[in-house]
């Protein structure tokens, strides 16, 4: 007897293909979820290491690092001129980048006291440092083209606090906390008292002592995430690790006016030199001199932050404006609650 081998019919083959497609469709979200979870863990670890480095700097110098060293007469609102190194440059020896720091012809920390505004520290501005990059973000390979160009990107910022449009010192977010000054809320967050203090943690030419953070180190944000703005153009400075201005490596004025929440979708929210407006994607911006920028990330639902005690938290986008203020300002006298 001759036996013939029966093959698959077309219908059977199509059924098998359909089943495989369904299984792949079910598996893909799970894979993406695992991948994002791993990216968040990596990002959280990056923030933790930077926080520990800031503490090591504090142990050595006696204060947290300033957000930027900036001479009198240099612009506080434009990324031009002979501005000095930022907080990340100053902590390089504490994040295993001592050789990079020591390769410079002069010590960046002497910028204010030197006879001239030595710019040799900018020799390292194009160095890509993996520990400063969040795996979830994109645009890492597009250098910032402003201020001479060639600036490498990064995803982390210090908290300079301050108030845009407030009262007491200045209406401009970043300069309002210079030297550790404390502006007040004014009428910028209607649900909060107009006299509420808005002092930052790491400001222009000033870093707080841990013992001087009035609201407590476990209750006050020291570092937070930023998104890289290069997908909007190489001239968008947001997410530039060695540039000590708002949106680049600093959050400031981040609880006032139209820039009140992390990952907010307000129109023209971040106010920084050269930034591009994209509110629909959580990157609203105005290229103007008010100098405010909020914490932003590509993580689903919130941002990673490091408190001043070195602990790391994930703050949800749904945080209330009041709690976001209380978390960011070192001396408002209020304790935030979980949202």
């Amino acid at each position: 007897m001759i036996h013939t081998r029966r093959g698959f019919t077309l219908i059977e083959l199509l059924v098998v293909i359909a089943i495989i497609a369904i299984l792949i469709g079910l598996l893909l979200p799970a894979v993406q979820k695992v991948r994002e979870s791993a990216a968040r863990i990596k990002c959280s670890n990056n923030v933790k290491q930077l926080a520990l480095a800031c503490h090591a700097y504090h142990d050595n110098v006696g204060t947290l690092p300033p957000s930027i060293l900036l001479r009198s007469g240099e612009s506080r609102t434009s990324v031009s001129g002979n501005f000095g190194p930022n907080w990340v440059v100053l902590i390089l020896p504490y994040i295993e980048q001592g050789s990079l720091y020591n390769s410079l012809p002069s010590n960046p920390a002497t910028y204010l006291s030197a006879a001239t505004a030595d710019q040799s520290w900018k020799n390292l501005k194009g160095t890509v440092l993996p520990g400063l990059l969040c795996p979830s973000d994109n645009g890492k390979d597009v250098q910032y083209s402003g201020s001479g160009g060639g600036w490498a990107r990064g995803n982390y910022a210090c908290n300079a606090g301050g108030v845009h449009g407030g009262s007491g010192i200045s209406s401009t977010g970043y300069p309002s906390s210079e030297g550790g000054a404390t502006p007040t809320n004014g009428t910028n967050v209607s649900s909060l008292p107009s006299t509420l203090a808005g002092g930052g943690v790491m400001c222009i030419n000033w870093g707080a002592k841990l013992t001087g953070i009035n609201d407590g180190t476990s209750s006050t944000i020291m570092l937070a995430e930023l998104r890289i703005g290069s997908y909007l153009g190489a001239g968008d400075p947001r997410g530039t690790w060695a540039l000590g201005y708002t949106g680049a490596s600093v959050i400031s004025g981040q609880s006032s006016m139209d820039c009140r929440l992390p990952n907010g979708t307000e129109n023209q929210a971040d106010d920084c030199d050269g930034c591009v407006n994209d509110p629909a994607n959580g990157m609203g911006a105005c290229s103007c001199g008010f100098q405010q920028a909020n914490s932003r990330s590509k993580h689903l639902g919130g941002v990673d932050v490091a408190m001043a005690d070195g602990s790391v938290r994930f703050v949800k986008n749904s945080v209330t404006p009041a709690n976001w203020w209380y978390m960011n300002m070192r001396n408002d006298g209020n304790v935030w609650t979980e949202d």
Side-chain angles (χ1 to χ4, degrees), residues 165-246:
S167 59
I169 293 176
S170 166
S171 63
T172 303
Y174 193 20
S176 72
S177 64
E178 180 169 351
T182 300
T184 51
N185 174 39
T187 58
N188 289 291
V189 182
S190 58
S191 60
L192 298 177
S194 61
T195 56
L196 200 63
V201 175
M202 294 159 63
C203 310
I204 298 171
N205 296 333
W206 185 86
K209 291 180 180 290
L210 291 176
T211 55
I213 297 176
N214 302 25
D215 294 342
T217 56
S218 64
S219 299
T220 308
I221 291 173
M222 177 171 64
L223 306 176
E225 281 191 87
L226 285 174
R227 277 182 62 185
I228 295 171
S230 61
Y231 80 96
L232 295 166
D236 193 309
R238 286 176 289 184
T240 303
W241 74 260
L243 187 66
Y245 286 86
T246 48

Side-chain angles (χ1 to χ4, degrees), residues 233-263:
D236 193 309
R238 286 176 289 184
T240 303
W241 74 260
L243 187 66
Y245 286 86
T246 48
S249 68
V250 181
I251 56 172
S252 61
Q254 69 272 30
S255 295
S256 54
M257 292 292 281
D258 56 356
C259 194
R260 297 189 299 163
L261 292 172
N263 287 320

Side-chain angles (χ1 to χ4, degrees), residues 8-293:
F8 289 109
T9 66
L10 179 60
I11 293 176
E12 289 172 329
L13 182 59
L14 291 175
V15 169
V16 170
I17 292 173
I19 292 172
I20 292 173
I22 291 171
L23 291 174
I24 291 174
L26 293 172
L27 182 62
L28 187 58
V31 171
Q32 291 174 331
K33 187 175 181 179
V34 170
R35 185 175 297 166
E36 169 54 20
S37 178
R40 263 206 50 202
I41 291 172
K42 172 61 176 173
C43 181
S44 176
N45 184 62
N46 287 347
V47 177
K48 179 71 173 181
Q49 296 308 310
L50 291 171
L52 292 175
C54 288
H55 275 229
Y57 179 97
H58 184 285
D59 290 344
N60 189 47
V61 178
T63 68
L64 292 171
S67 60
I68 189 175
L69 295 177
L70 198 55
R71 287 189 169 214
S72 175
E74 295 295 343
S75 176
R76 270 65 178 155
T77 62
S78 175
V79 290
S80 60
N82 296 323
F83 56 87
N86 75 336
W87 66 278
V88 186
V89 173
L90 296 174
I91 66 169
L92 285 176
Y94 308 104
I95 55 172
E96 299 182 350
Q97 294 295 331
S99 58
L100 178 64
Y101 187 89
N102 294 330
S103 69
L104 297 172
S106 61
N107 186 341
T110 63
Y111 163 86
L112 286 178
S113 58
T116 59
D118 187 356
Q119 298 291 284
S120 63
W121 68 270
K122 290 182 180 177
N123 292 345
L124 49 73
K125 67 181 182 179
T127 305
V128 176
L129 299 175
L132 297 177
L133 295 168
C134 171
S136 295
D137 205 354
N138 50 20
K140 306 173 181 69
D141 298 329
V142 180
Q143 292 182 324
Y144 170 54
S145 61
S147 194
W151 296 79
R153 297 293 185 163
N155 284 103
Y156 305 106
C158 69
N159 170 23
V163 185
H164 167 32
S167 59
I169 293 176
S170 166
S171 63
T172 303
Y174 193 20
S176 72
S177 64
E178 180 169 351
T182 300
T184 51
N185 174 39
T187 58
N188 289 291
V189 182
S190 58
S191 60
L192 298 177
S194 61
T195 56
L196 200 63
V201 175
M202 294 159 63
C203 310
I204 298 171
N205 296 333
W206 185 86
K209 291 180 180 290
L210 291 176
T211 55
I213 297 176
N214 302 25
D215 294 342
T217 56
S218 64
S219 299
T220 308
I221 291 173
M222 177 171 64
L223 306 176
E225 281 191 87
L226 285 174
R227 277 182 62 185
I228 295 171
S230 61
Y231 80 96
L232 295 166
D236 193 309
R238 286 176 289 184
T240 303
W241 74 260
L243 187 66
Y245 286 86
T246 48
S249 68
V250 181
I251 56 172
S252 61
Q254 69 272 30
S255 295
S256 54
M257 292 292 281
D258 56 356
C259 194
R260 297 189 299 163
L261 292 172
N263 287 320
T265 56
E266 301 101 329
N267 186 47
Q268 297 186 332
D270 292 341
D271 296 335
C272 46
D273 195 15
C275 56
V276 179
N277 193 33
D278 186 16
N281 290 303
M283 290 285 277
C286 173
S287 181
C288 51
F290 293 121
Q291 289 294 287
Q292 64 177 158

